[in-house]
Amino acid sequence: TPIPNDLVSIDLKVYKFEMGSDPKLPVEGAKYRLVAVDAIKGETVIGQYMTDKNGIIKVNNLDTGTYYLEEL
Protein backbone atom coordinates (compact mmCIF):
# COMPACT_ATOMS: atom_id res chain seq x y z
CA THR A 1 0.00 0.00 0.00
CA PRO A 2 1.47 3.38 -0.98
CA ILE A 3 2.10 5.84 1.82
CA PRO A 4 1.16 9.42 0.87
CA ASN A 5 3.88 11.98 1.36
CA ASP A 6 2.05 15.28 1.04
CA LEU A 7 4.26 18.29 1.60
CA VAL A 8 2.61 21.05 3.55
CA SER A 9 3.28 24.65 2.63
CA ILE A 10 2.22 27.91 4.24
CA ASP A 11 1.45 31.39 2.98
CA LEU A 12 2.59 34.55 4.76
CA LYS A 13 0.81 37.91 4.59
CA VAL A 14 2.21 40.95 6.40
CA TYR A 15 0.57 44.36 6.80
CA LYS A 16 2.56 47.56 7.48
CA PHE A 17 0.69 50.65 8.72
CA GLU A 18 1.76 54.06 10.05
CA MET A 19 1.96 53.81 13.83
CA GLY A 20 -0.82 55.71 15.55
CA SER A 21 -2.69 56.57 12.34
CA ASP A 22 -6.48 56.40 12.46
CA PRO A 23 -7.72 55.23 10.07
CA LYS A 24 -4.70 53.00 9.55
CA LEU A 25 -2.55 54.37 6.71
CA PRO A 26 -0.65 51.71 4.72
CA VAL A 27 3.10 52.12 4.27
CA GLU A 28 4.26 51.51 0.70
CA GLY A 29 7.89 50.61 0.02
CA ALA A 30 8.89 49.22 3.42
CA LYS A 31 11.66 46.66 2.88
CA TYR A 32 11.93 43.34 4.69
CA ARG A 33 14.16 40.28 4.66
CA LEU A 34 12.60 36.87 5.34
CA VAL A 35 14.92 34.39 7.04
CA ALA A 36 14.35 30.68 7.71
CA VAL A 37 15.83 29.28 10.93
CA ASP A 38 16.82 25.62 11.16
CA ALA A 39 18.63 23.85 14.03
CA ILE A 40 20.95 22.05 11.61
CA LYS A 41 21.28 24.45 8.64
CA GLY A 42 21.25 27.65 10.69
CA GLU A 43 19.77 30.77 9.08
CA THR A 44 18.92 30.99 5.38
CA VAL A 45 17.73 34.18 3.68
CA ILE A 46 14.59 33.32 1.72
CA GLY A 47 14.32 36.71 0.03
CA GLN A 48 13.81 40.44 0.31
CA TYR A 49 10.35 41.91 -0.08
CA MET A 50 8.76 45.36 -0.29
CA THR A 51 5.27 46.39 0.79
CA ASP A 52 2.88 47.30 -2.02
CA LYS A 53 0.63 50.40 -2.18
CA ASN A 54 -1.68 48.73 0.37
CA GLY A 55 1.16 48.11 2.82
CA ILE A 56 1.11 44.36 2.15
CA ILE A 57 3.74 41.69 1.51
CA LYS A 58 2.63 38.22 0.39
CA VAL A 59 4.92 35.19 0.29
CA ASN A 60 3.35 31.92 -0.87
CA ASN A 61 4.29 28.25 -0.71
CA LEU A 62 6.82 28.41 2.14
CA ASP A 63 7.88 25.15 3.71
CA THR A 64 6.60 24.71 7.24
CA GLY A 65 9.21 25.80 9.76
CA THR A 66 10.53 28.73 11.75
CA TYR A 67 11.02 32.13 10.13
CA TYR A 68 11.61 35.71 11.13
CA LEU A 69 11.01 38.91 9.22
CA GLU A 70 13.55 41.72 9.57
CA GLU A 71 12.77 45.29 8.51
CA LEU A 72 15.65 46.74 6.49
Side-chain angles (χ1 to χ4, degrees), residues 2-61:
I3 299 172
N5 186 11
D6 298 328
L7 294 176
V8 177
S9 64
I10 58 173
D11 297 331
L12 174 68
K13 191 172 190 180
V14 177
Y15 299 86
K16 173 79 173 179
F17 297 103
E18 285 289 338
M19 187 171 167
S21 64
D22 187 32
K24 293 184 176 182
L25 299 174
V27 176
E28 181 178 5
K31 296 179 185 177
Y32 290 88
R33 176 183 300 131
L34 181 63
V35 181
V37 181
D38 182 271
I40 296 169
K41 296 178 185 176
E43 295 186 353
T44 303
V45 175
I46 302 301
Q48 291 188 16
Y49 304 91
M50 188 179 303
T51 54
D52 64 15
K53 67 180 181 175
N54 299 310
I56 297 172
I57 292 172
K58 294 180 191 176
V59 184
N60 297 320
N61 298 318

